[in-house]
Amino acid sequence: MSGLVRRLVGDQLLTEEQARDVLGKAQRGGKPLVTQLVDDKLIGAARLAEIASAEFGTPLLDLNSVEPDSNSFKEISEKLIRAQHAIPLYKRGRKLYVAVSDPTNLQALDEFKFASGMVTEPILVEEDKLAKAIESAASAMQSATLNVGDVELENLEVTGGDEEVGGEAVTSDEEDAPIIRYVNKVMLDAINRGASDIHFEPYEKKYRVRYRMDGELKEMNAPPVQMGGRLAARLKVMARLDLAERRIPQDGRIKLKLSANKSIDFRVSTCPTMWGEKIVMRILDASAAMLGIDSLGYEPEQKELYMKALGRPQGMILVTGPTGSGKTVSLYTGLNILNTEDVNISTAEDPCEINLPGINQVNVNPKVGLTFAAALKAFLRQDPDVIMVGEIRDLETAEIAVKAAQTGHLVLSTLHTNDAPQTLTRLLNMGVPAYNVASCVTLIIAQRLARRLCKFCKMVDDVPRDELLREGFTEEDIARPGFVIYKARGCDQCNEGYKGRTGIYQVMPVSDTIARIIMEDGNAIMIADQARKEGISDLRQSALKKVRDGLLDLTEANRVTVD
């Protein structure tokens, strides 16, 4: 046992059994011992800090009574602070004083010494106050990451103009240069961070830029509110939108060339709000569809069902889920598998998100009469083998898609429903006859995207057995040898304990029995019961399977699969 644990046992604050247990949990979870003691509520943070100070002779400081010196953060990154669970306090000459809650955390002192080139000296602080200080420091450091070149964003000179035209002044190229550099920096920073969307949002007294990373929106910067009009103008110029039109939404596209053979597309959407135009940029990377079906997170039996449906010469495959759940990537992964020289593939989308050579892609344009239904009618006269419809929104589109699936074509499309059984009843409610639904729909995939646990820092989660049963695990799951679940922690390799996303799927083939239920006017509950009898996992079961496999934690599984 370490000196601190021996002292706690000697002072009768811990039993020997508790000491061995907490040491084991800290080691298995890769967590500092002090953090584990406080998290398990075995001893208060203040009392523990006093004992640690006395045991190791490290000076104790009340972190609430001091403000860390921002100059001490210059060479220390946000990731390093989170990974080492320590923060620099202040500099004195060539010495850097570092706040730690665990006096034995020598690795933090070494890492800070290497990063700063200074001698490090530990200052002991209470664990709960240190955790809050780390979060505060990390947030402040994130807000400071978007300086463009040597121009400080908050010091940009912004010229106001005629309020009637949105406050945009006619400026020279020299005046616009900071705006151009800022927008380019935001776009590149979003790509480097693995963001899927960028939000530019104007408010009365604030302007903020947020990234959606691993499915979660995070504020990254707050430029001066006066910049809002010029930022919107720059983005609209890049997307070739109408600068003078600020009353209605517009859609456009930007291509950013990163190298000779690598480019990223941005889908740009504007929307007029009370305080200016909100602009959302969706980052589109065609390489996502090239990763292959094995990278999407399908279970082996789910992958087999999808591949079998793709191998059929006719029928309909429907993918369902909320916006941002990965439906497009699932569809394009399937299209990429089918994309061979002897197959004619046509798609109708609003708009086309991923560009794949060898596939005939059409952007629908209702303003000129090019609707999904009109595009489908045209496809049927173009000798198609495979047709993909971006979304079945109305009865006319549904009827033409069904007709195509019944006449020797493979049709892929999406619907917005909660799960696979509801997709079938949604088609019936739209007015598609039951016999058409039963005869043409071959497979339905319901999906969600969940943040994947970082493999470098995930830690064991000690959840009581009764709670596991309430969450949906079975007695057999819990009794299985090696059963363990994990939770997020956070390190310099991830984003607050998560790295990337994985799909959660319900893959339901339309069996003969399910087809009979449809013909007999059965509802979604009856279809779900039959799918369960046939061994089809619902979204919740699929999520818990990934929790058992150590890919997700319960928090994330609950976020995406609990209504």
Side-chain angles (χ1 to χ4, degrees):
M1 293 185 183
S2 70
L4 180 59
V5 174
R6 280 199 305 271
R7 173 68 179 267
L8 294 173
V9 172
D11 290 350
Q12 297 183 345
L13 296 171
L14 288 181
T15 66
E16 290 193 6
E17 183 180 353
Q18 286 176 318
R20 284 192 296 270
D21 182 55
V22 76
L23 283 168
K25 286 174 67 176
Q27 187 175 13
R28 288 193 303 273
K31 197 185 253 191
L33 174 62
V34 170
T35 306
Q36 190 70 59
L37 286 165
V38 174
D39 286 353
D40 289 352
K41 298 180 180 178
L42 293 173
I43 185 170
R47 178 70 176 131
L48 185 59
E50 291 174 1
I51 294 171
S53 176
E55 180 68 23
F56 293 94
T58 307
L60 178 61
L61 178 70
D62 181 2
L63 200 52
N64 289 345
S65 66
V66 297
E67 184 73 26
D69 184 1
S70 59
N71 289 327
S72 64
F73 284 81
K74 286 185 177 178
E75 295 86 6
I76 310 299
S77 68
E78 173 202 347
K79 287 185 177 180
L80 184 59
I81 287 173
R82 289 189 185 276
Q84 299 304 327
H85 201 66
I87 60 170
L89 283 177
Y90 51 85
K91 296 177 180 179
R92 292 293 183 271
R94 295 298 303 162
K95 188 174 287 187
L96 176 66
Y97 290 87
V98 180
V100 296
S101 61
D102 185 353
T104 65
N105 189 4
L106 301 179
Q107 184 179 356
L109 300 177
D110 290 341
E111 292 287 349
F112 280 34
K113 179 180 179 180
F114 178 79
S116 65
M118 303 179 71
V119 177
T120 52
E121 188 76 26
I123 299 290
L124 192 62
V125 297
E126 296 165 33
E127 164 61 27
D128 53 351
K129 294 177 181 178
L130 176 62
K132 291 180 181 178
I134 288 174
E135 287 303 316
S136 176
S139 298
M141 294 170 78
Q142 278 187 349
S143 298
T145 57
L146 283 175
N147 288 341
V148 184
D150 56 356
V151 179
E152 293 290 336
L153 296 178
E154 60 270 26
N155 294 330
L156 283 175
E157 292 186 9
V158 181
T159 306
D162 188 348
E163 292 183 358
E164 189 175 343
V165 295
E168 293 171 9
V170 178
T171 57
S172 68
D173 290 341
E174 183 178 348
E175 288 174 314
D176 278 338
I179 297 290
I180 294 171
R181 290 200 305 274
Y182 175 67
V183 170
N184 291 346
K185 172 67 175 174
V186 168
M187 293 167 68
L188 289 172
D189 188 54
I191 293 170
N192 291 333
R193 289 174 179 263
S196 61
D197 302 85
I198 311 172
H199 292 238
F200 294 85
E201 301 172 313
Y203 299 97
E204 181 180 13
K205 297 180 179 179
K206 181 181 180 181
Y207 193 97
R208 69 178 177 183
V209 178
R210 292 193 290 175
Y211 295 168
R212 187 176 294 279
M213 298 184 292
D214 293 333
E216 296 287 309
L217 273 173
K218 297 196 177 195
E219 182 173 339
M220 305 306 297
N221 193 246
V225 69
Q226 298 94 333
M227 283 177 58
R230 294 170 64 191
L231 284 172
R234 173 59 186 166
L235 291 167
K236 289 169 74 173
V237 166
M238 295 172 72
R240 298 185 178 180
L241 301 178
D242 184 355
L243 274 177
E245 182 56 78
R246 301 180 183 87
R247 299 165 299 173
I248 60 174
Q250 297 186 66
D251 293 304
R253 203 176 182 98
I254 297 171
K255 180 181 285 291
L256 187 64
K257 198 172 179 69
L258 301 177
S259 64
N261 55 5
K262 175 69 172 177
S263 62
I264 301 289
D265 286 347
F266 294 80
R267 191 182 75 197
V268 181
S269 171
T270 73
C271 182
T273 69
M274 283 182 63
W275 307 108
E277 289 179 286
K278 173 177 177 176
I279 298 180
V280 177
M281 303 172 69
R282 168 66 57 88
I283 302 174
L284 309 172
D285 189 355
S287 62
M290 307 295 186
L291 295 176
I293 194 169
D294 292 324
S295 66
L296 299 186
Y298 286 95
E299 301 297 335
E301 62 276 10
Q302 294 175 334
K303 172 189 170 184
E304 184 180 349
L305 289 171
Y306 190 18
M307 294 297 291
K308 183 178 179 181
L310 289 171
R312 298 183 58 164
Q314 63 186 44
M316 182 181 291
I317 299 173
L318 295 173
V319 181
T320 182
T323 301
S325 60
K327 299 188 297 295
T328 301
V329 172
S330 282
L331 285 175
Y332 265 95
T333 300
L335 291 179
N336 197 42
I337 293 170
L338 299 170
N339 187 17
T340 58
E341 181 184 356
D342 58 338
V343 178
N344 178 22
I345 303 175
S346 296
T347 75
E349 301 167 77
D350 182 21
C352 297
E353 293 192 6
I354 297 174
N355 178 30
L356 278 186
I359 293 179
N360 309 290
Q361 298 171 272
V362 173
N363 272 322
V364 300
N365 186 353
K367 291 181 180 178
V368 298
L370 183 55
T371 61
F372 281 120
L376 270 175
K377 289 178 182 177
F379 291 164
L380 292 175
R381 296 190 292 268
Q382 296 252 318
D383 185 30
D385 296 303
V386 179
I387 295 172
M388 197 270 272
V389 187
E391 183 182 349
I392 295 178
R393 296 177 178 172
D394 51 49
L395 178 58
E396 184 182 10
T397 304
E399 287 179 334
I400 300 171
V402 166
K403 178 183 176 183
Q406 290 174 329
T407 55
H409 307 98
L410 181 62
V411 178
L412 292 80
S413 189
T414 70
L415 275 176
H416 284 280
T417 57
N418 289 330
D419 59 16
Q422 290 184 37
T423 303
L424 293 170
T425 55
R426 169 72 176 139
L427 287 173
L428 296 173
N429 293 336
M430 289 174 69
V432 180
Y435 62 85
N436 280 343
V437 175
S439 64
C440 76
V441 179
T442 56
L443 185 75
I444 303 172
I445 301 173
Q447 67 180 76
R448 302 289 188 273
L449 281 179
R451 294 179 294 171
R452 186 194 296 262
L453 282 170
C454 173
K455 62 182 179 181
F456 297 105
C457 69
K458 65 182 181 181
M459 56 191 297
V460 174
D461 193 3
D462 187 17
V463 180
R465 177 178 167 279
D466 291 344
E467 181 65 24
L468 291 173
L469 292 173
R470 281 194 296 270
E471 292 287 356
F473 290 103
T474 64
E475 295 279 6
E476 291 77 15
D477 291 331
I478 299 171
R480 188 176 303 168
F483 175 80
V484 64
I485 64 174
Y486 296 88
K487 63 182 178 180
R489 183 185 177 195
C491 68
D492 58 353
Q493 301 290 327
C494 65
N495 182 26
E496 297 181 2
Y498 302 97
K499 182 70 172 178
R501 289 191 287 177
T502 187
I504 298 171
Y505 303 94
Q506 179 186 24
V507 182
M508 188 186 82
V510 179
S511 64
D512 292 341
T513 305
I514 290 176
R516 280 196 294 272
I517 293 173
I518 297 169
M519 294 289 290
E520 295 168 359
D521 294 328
N523 56 36
I525 296 175
M526 297 168 65
I527 296 171
D529 287 341
Q530 179 58 34
R532 197 175 300 113
K533 292 176 184 176
E534 295 176 5
I536 303 301
S537 298
D538 61 21
L539 287 167
R540 179 63 179 175
Q541 292 168 333
S542 296
L544 292 180
K545 168 72 165 58
K546 284 185 164 53
V547 173
R548 292 197 305 269
D549 292 343
L551 298 176
L552 305 180
D553 59 6
L554 272 175
T555 301
E556 191 65 7
N558 290 337
R559 184 181 71 85
V560 297
T561 63
V562 174
D563 295 331

